[in-house]
Amino acid sequence: MNAATAPAAVIEISQLTTRFGSHVVHDDLDLVVRRGEIFALVGGSGSGKSTLLREMILLQQPAAGSLRVLGVDYTGIAEAAAHALRQRWGVMFQSGGLFGSLTVRENVGLPLREHTALADRLIDEIADWKLALSGLESTVGGQYPAELSGGMMKRAALARALVLDPELLFLDEPTAGLDPTGAAEVDQLIGELRRQFDLSIVIITHDLDLLWQVTDRVAVLGDGKVQGLGPMAELAELAAPAVQAYFTGPRGRAAEKGSATWKAK
Ligand code: ADP
Ligand code: MG
């Protein structure tokens, strides 16, 4: 592909090194996420997925290397630029991160209260719209997080991540802890969001169904580097042990089979 037809990058990571004391988590790591794609980060526990996510959303600084997100270089970034950038992405943390003392509607509207001067009534309306978009009924807005099921909690957290109309969405384990039906619904929702909006999505996940059915490309982290990168069907052909761990065994094969029928819909 030449420069004119290559999709623009939303995230460019180059020669990134992360250390905690003498423990090297990322070792000269390079990674590019393209505009408009659903990209997944996978890897064993402790391979540095969450740390990489924190670095991508400006919560943590690497020891060396460069990060560029939505065209903004993080090297020496000023607070004003960081603040502006935080409004251009949405993050759904693994725990959901909803405040227990606020209603679901208030939780979803919170980023708008922080970042805009919109009237309360308008913020509530936008929050309700994002809740509907995430597949929740309007009555859920008045409930408290403790009253929600796991699946509803994930949807509410997604609604909050979407409330500022982000260009880039980060999802940390969006299907973890859900039953198969709930997980399949979230898979479908992620696919729909990308179709409806001009979104790029980065997902951290272990969920093989999600990987096969929704993602465009997947990066496998291991030993501080990207061990494999590509669409699932291509990765499945790679022999590297860190990559094969995701494809061998009955669960991997079942997820691969399921993908053929689902994607055709
Ligand atoms: P993953 O999300 O892939 O399971 P993490 O990014 O959470 O992995 O962690 C990668 C490695 O970095 C682990 O060995 C973890 O113990 C270590 N680590 C993460 N955060 C810290 C921290 N704040 N201080 C020390 N070590 C950390
Ligand atoms: Mg993690």
Side-chain angles (χ1 to χ4, degrees):
M1 239 185 278
N2 64 37
T5 56
V10 280
I11 299 176
E12 295 166 87
I13 296 171
S14 137
Q15 299 186 304
L16 181 98
T17 296
T18 307
R19 290 188 210 97
F20 292 106
S22 60
H23 178 41
V24 178
V25 177
H26 306 128
D27 177 18
D28 211 17
L29 181 150
D30 297 308
L31 192 65
V32 170
V33 178
R34 301 169 186 155
R35 184 169 295 279
E37 75 178 339
I38 300 184
F39 187 93
L41 270 178
V42 305
S45 180
S47 60
K49 305 179 296 293
S50 296
T51 303
L52 192 59
L53 174 67
R54 283 200 300 276
E55 289 170 342
M56 291 191 284
I57 60 175
L58 284 165
L59 289 179
Q60 192 172 319
Q61 258 194 327
S66 72
L67 282 118
R68 241 179 121 78
V69 175
L70 297 168
V72 179
D73 194 331
Y74 284 7
T75 312
I77 187 170
E79 189 42 49
H83 183 77
L85 202 50
R86 287 191 184 100
Q87 299 178 50
R88 296 175 61 194
W89 64 56
V91 187
M92 181 179 145
F93 290 103
Q94 182 166 1
S95 58
L98 301 180
F99 293 102
S101 60
L102 302 179
T103 65
V104 170
R105 182 177 295 113
E106 288 165 345
N107 266 290
V108 173
L110 205 57
L112 286 168
R113 293 206 161 79
E114 281 172 7
H115 292 291
T116 72
L118 295 176
D120 282 344
R121 199 177 51 82
L122 190 55
I123 289 178
D124 285 346
E125 277 177 22
I126 297 171
D128 283 346
W129 174 50
K130 299 295 171 168
L131 284 166
L133 202 64
S134 304
L136 290 172
E137 289 181 22
S138 56
T139 51
V140 175
Q143 292 185 286
Y144 286 86
E147 302 173 72
L148 306 186
S149 70
M152 289 161 83
M153 190 92 87
K154 294 275 189 201
R155 287 172 186 272
L158 183 62
R160 188 173 62 179
L162 290 170
V163 83
L164 292 173
D165 295 329
E167 294 159 60
L168 179 56
L169 191 59
F170 294 98
L171 308 174
D172 194 353
E173 296 285 1
T175 56
L178 300 183
D179 61 35
T181 310
E185 285 170 5
V186 169
D187 290 354
Q188 222 150 351
L189 183 56
I190 293 169
E192 277 166 28
L193 285 176
R194 194 263 301 266
R195 274 192 293 278
Q196 286 185 32
F197 303 97
D198 192 14
L199 262 177
S200 310
I201 306 180
V202 176
I203 311 176
I204 294 180
T205 187
H206 292 103
D207 183 338
L208 280 160
D209 289 318
L210 180 60
L211 289 167
W212 275 108
Q213 292 167 1
V214 181
T215 62
D216 297 308
R217 292 193 310 148
V218 176
V220 184
L221 295 193
D223 288 334
K225 295 194 193 302
V226 175
Q227 300 289 336
L229 176 71
M232 283 295 277
E234 278 177 28
L235 279 181
E237 304 296 316
L238 291 182
V243 176
Q244 274 310 313
Y246 280 87
F247 301 94
T248 49
R251 294 183 65 230
R253 284 192 293 271
E256 177 178 5
K257 271 195 188 131
S259 76
T261 48
W262 199 96
K263 265 204 168 149
K265 279 185 206 164

